[in-house]
Amino acid sequence: MSGIDFDLMGAARRILEGALGVVPGERVVVLVDRARRDIGLSLADAARNIGARAAIFSLEEYGDRPMRHIPSSLQEALTDAQASVFLAGFDDGEMALRYELLARVRHLNLRHAHMVGISRKSMIGGFSVDPSRILDATRAVRMRLRPESVLRVRSVAGSDLEVRCAPSLRWAEFVGVLRPGRWEHLPSGSLVTSPSSVSGVFVADASIGTEAGANVGLLDKAPVRFEIDQGLCRAVRCDDRSLDRHLMDFMRREASLDRVGLAILGTNIGIHAATGEVTSDQNLPGIHLGFGATYPEHTGATWSGRAQITAAASTSDVDLDGVPLVRSGRLLV
């Protein structure tokens, strides 16, 4: 009994039962990399405890990384499954693999947990409460949002930002309760829209969502400062010169990648501190930004970049239409 990681098993159970809704008799496919095999094993154990069947596939068993396509044996396994999990580190060279996997998920009508860059620490933090509680908190916030709402963001790290909503666009809800044919980045807990206007300074002192950002990890010692005017990033400043160059090169690569595509309002009440892993940090209560992609299928935006950088802040204060909504990273709902 002393060898059991109860925290990890608890998080695995919430993923399978609360997020994926796995029931006895179902089949779950788990695709992991070598560094996260222990997490994959905890998911497989949790599936067996439910009475489901689990199959684990390790990326490295099929060749050198980055991998470009789904191995044929995995494609066959997915055909017989009802739910799936992708659990691997950030690798910009595996974008094609991930897109192919998500297309397969939609085609097969699977319930899919997409967990890129997640470690044991962020998995436990992101699933410290049941997804149903995150759903309740998210909908309480959503009830206060109006089509023309204005969000004001300030933080000790230096953020001073105004986000204006677009009345013609939608807020998409990501709470980790998945239906067939649906996938989400897990852990989740956020409301996402494409804003009409963003102006001011946003300081990402939690994490940045690229392979380079994943390598840096927690940004508390070298936060990234984005200077934004009317939705366009005019300057990026960071003491980490390598990360600074990477972000500027990304934004100059093609049109719209320097434009704020998403405003992300984190609502995961179980996350209390940044981990340096953006998939988790973007759900911290507060405002986070995505540059480039707008998820038109969710937000209704009429434009989108072909790539994305997500920038997450650790703690902030947020006012919604002049009324406090978040204080020091805690939702006031």
Side-chain angles (χ1 to χ4, degrees), residues 295-307:
Y295 296 165
E297 67 275 20
H298 296 295
T299 64
T302 57
W303 68 275
S304 187
R306 293 192 296 177

Side-chain angles (χ1 to χ4, degrees), residues 70 80 82 223:
I70 304 173
D80 295 328
Q82 289 75 47

Side-chain angles (χ1 to χ4, degrees), residues 35-94:
R36 292 162 179 78
R37 187 167 177 82
D38 59 333
I39 303 177
L41 290 172
S42 72
L43 290 166
D45 287 342
R48 284 190 286 270
N49 290 338
I50 295 169
R53 296 172 294 157
I56 299 180
F57 296 82
S58 295
L59 285 169
E60 287 81 3
E61 293 176 5
Y62 299 97
D64 296 333
R65 300 188 59 195
M67 297 190 68
R68 310 295 182 182
H69 301 286
I70 304 173
S72 57
S73 56
L74 176 61
Q75 292 196 38
E76 294 173 6
L78 288 170
T79 302
D80 295 328
Q82 289 75 47
S84 57
V85 179
F86 179 78
L87 185 62
F90 272 105
D91 191 322
D92 291 343
E94 290 183 342

Side-chain angles (χ1 to χ4, degrees), residues 84-274:
S84 57
V85 179
F86 179 78
L87 185 62
F90 272 105
D91 191 322
D92 291 343
E94 290 183 342
M95 289 290 290
L97 168 73
R98 297 199 291 268
Y99 282 130
E100 184 180 341
L101 175 61
L102 295 177
R104 192 75 176 155
V105 163
R106 290 188 288 267
H107 175 72
L108 295 172
N109 213 32
L110 302 181
R111 308 185 301 275
H112 177 72
H114 208 60
M115 303 176 67
V116 181
I118 291 299
S119 69
R120 175 187 179 276
K121 179 180 180 181
S122 56
M123 179 169 161
I124 291 172
F127 286 93
S128 64
V129 301
D130 192 88
S132 63
R133 289 186 57 197
I134 299 171
L135 173 63
D136 291 342
T138 304
R139 291 191 171 165
V141 174
R142 192 171 188 175
M143 290 292 291
R144 293 176 58 178
L145 290 165
R146 297 181 295 109
E148 66 281 5
S149 281
V150 177
L151 295 139
R152 190 65 187 253
V153 186
R154 295 183 178 87
S155 74
V156 173
S159 291
D160 189 354
L161 194 73
E162 182 182 85
V163 178
R164 290 187 172 272
C165 297
S168 61
L169 301 183
R170 301 184 295 271
W171 282 92
E173 183 179 276
F174 297 97
V175 294
V177 179
L178 300 173
R179 303 184 300 275
R182 174 106 183 237
W183 68 272
E184 280 188 20
H185 292 288
L186 295 186
S188 62
S190 65
L191 289 160
V192 178
T193 193
S194 186
S196 67
S197 177
V198 179
S199 291
V201 173
F202 179 78
V203 178
D205 59 342
S207 50
I208 294 289
T210 63
E211 183 179 352
N215 290 336
V216 172
L218 192 63
L219 298 174
D220 57 337
K221 303 300 183 183
V224 180
R225 177 186 173 95
F226 297 90
E227 298 176 8
I228 303 166
D229 181 38
Q230 297 298 311
L232 290 176
C233 183
R234 304 297 186 183
V236 177
R237 307 185 192 281
C238 178
D239 289 342
D240 185 323
R241 303 311 302 167
S242 176
L243 182 58
D244 184 90
R245 286 193 302 272
H246 168 74
L247 294 173
M248 290 305 299
D249 289 345
F250 174 90
M251 289 184 170
R252 292 168 177 161
R253 196 166 70 197
E254 57 184 80
S256 298
L257 298 186
D258 60 348
R259 187 173 174 185
V260 177
L262 296 174
I264 304 164
L265 177 52
T267 58
N268 189 320
I269 57 175
I271 302 178
H272 302 300

